[in-house]
């Protein structure tokens, strides 16, 4: 995939926390439609690099270019609006809400002042079909296993039109079967032109790819 266009470039990124230099002059390029694995031991700075990318943390120095244009995201919301989504190591779903309510939280289709639940569930169904996964939009998150919860996070990112998706250690609590489903899904997403940054604590998981 090296011939594909570079859609994201991080140059000489440095980030310090009190007493810790988490990132020291880090360079990172992402090509369109590729899965770029970011490997490194615990504490290497992988999550920090991604949090600098999407505006959770502000970098001390360095620059970030999205499709050639310099960007300075001040918040994850700004990054999301530019098509960048992160699925964090700790999933961020609300357990007692439904799949559909989680995916469209704060962006629910309305009928007058009320949530249009029929439309909400239909839109969720459409995304699940696109992902090729079979999850009932009306299930509560706390009724799903971790693998399906992660699919919901991915569905949420897609519903926001993400074209760069960061997965931070996605397989850490998945079963081998769930990992297989995730890898199939990653293939499907990259075939659509979505670029993926895949963070792994070590090379071990890649024996499955
Ligand atoms: N919010 C924070 N405040 C202080 N130190 C942090 C913070 N986030 C990360 N660090 C430190 O930065 C370093 C890199 O952490 P992290 O990016 O989480 O590594 P990784 O994701 O590769 O395991 C570690 O030394 C960690 O303790
Ligand atoms: Mg991490």
């Amino acid at each position: 995939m090296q011939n594909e266009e570079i859609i994201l470039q991080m140059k000489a990124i440095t980030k310090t926390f009190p007493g810790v230099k988490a990132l020291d002059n880090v360079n990172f390029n992402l090509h369109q439609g590729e899965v770029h694995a970011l490997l490194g031991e615990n504490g290497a700075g992988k999550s920090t690099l991604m949090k600098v990318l999407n505006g959770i943390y502000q970098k001390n120095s360095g620059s970030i270019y999205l499709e050639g244009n310099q960007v300075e995201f001040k918040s994850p919301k700004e990054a999301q609006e530019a098509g960048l989504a992160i699925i964090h190591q700790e999933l961020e779903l609300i357990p007692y809400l439904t799949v559909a309510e989680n995916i469209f939280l704060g962006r629910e289709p309305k009928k007058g002042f009320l949530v249009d639940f029929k439309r909400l569930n239909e839109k969720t169904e459409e995304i699940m079909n696109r992902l090729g996964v079979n999850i009932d939009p009306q299930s509560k998150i706390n009724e799903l296993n971790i693998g399906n919860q992660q699919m919901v996070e991915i569905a949420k990112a897609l519903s926001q039109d993400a074209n760069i998706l960061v997965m931070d250690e996605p397989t850490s609590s998945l079963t081998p079967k769930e990992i297989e489903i995730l890898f199939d899904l990653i293939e499907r997403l990259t075939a659509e032109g979505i670029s993926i940054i895949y963070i792994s604590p070590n090379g071990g998981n890649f024996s499955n790819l």
Side-chain angles (χ1 to χ4, degrees), residues 6-71:
I6 293 178
I7 59 165
L8 168 71
Q9 213 170 5
M10 298 181 83
K11 284 188 187 167
I13 306 292
T14 294
K15 172 67 186 173
T16 57
F17 296 109
V20 186
K21 199 168 209 177
L23 300 171
D24 187 6
N25 258 299
V26 173
N27 294 303
F28 179 85
N29 285 344
L30 180 70
H31 293 76
Q32 159 129 47
E34 80 169 344
V35 181
H36 191 137
L38 203 54
L39 308 178
E41 63 195 33
N42 245 337
K46 306 178 298 295
S47 296
T48 300
L49 185 66
M50 294 302 112
K51 288 176 182 174
V52 162
L53 172 61
N54 91 326
I56 294 176
Y57 295 154
Q58 299 305 313
K59 55 185 156 47
N60 298 87
S61 59
S63 43
I64 305 175
Y65 300 83
L66 207 57
E67 293 175 20
N69 301 312
Q70 191 162 1
V71 290

Side-chain angles (χ1 to χ4, degrees), residues 78-207:
E78 280 186 26
Q80 182 199 103
E81 283 162 5
L84 201 148
I86 296 194
I87 297 168
H88 291 283
Q89 235 166 309
E90 317 75 30
L91 300 181
E92 291 174 330
L93 301 169
I94 300 175
Y96 53 85
L97 294 184
T98 67
V99 167
E101 287 164 341
N102 268 277
I103 290 175
F104 290 100
L105 195 65
R107 302 176 297 133
E108 299 88 350
K110 295 281 171 66
K111 211 175 190 172
F113 291 111
L114 303 175
V115 173
D116 183 347
F117 282 101
K118 184 164 175 290
R119 186 78 197 107
L120 177 69
N121 290 321
E122 281 169 2
K123 281 167 69 105
T124 303
E125 195 79 58
E126 281 165 25
I127 298 172
M128 291 303 172
N129 289 340
R130 180 173 160 204
L131 288 177
V133 298
N134 187 16
I135 298 174
D136 182 351
Q138 299 190 64
S139 297
K140 295 245 165 53
I141 293 300
N142 58 19
E143 297 165 353
L144 302 181
N145 62 32
I146 299 288
N148 280 341
Q149 290 184 19
Q150 200 161 46
M151 295 301 157
V152 174
E153 287 273 18
I154 294 171
K156 185 170 182 172
L158 290 186
S159 77
Q160 296 161 353
D161 291 325
N163 57 6
I164 298 176
L165 192 55
V166 178
M167 298 186 184
D168 196 348
E169 302 198 18
T171 59
S172 52
S173 41
L174 298 188
T175 64
K177 179 72 193 153
E178 289 169 342
I179 292 174
E180 213 175 286
I181 294 171
L182 177 68
F183 284 176
D184 282 348
L185 178 57
I186 286 174
E187 245 173 65
R188 200 186 259 249
L189 295 175
T190 53
E192 282 189 20
I194 293 174
S195 314
I196 294 176
I197 301 173
Y198 184 106
I199 298 181
S200 176
N202 56 56
N205 290 325
F206 283 84
S207 57

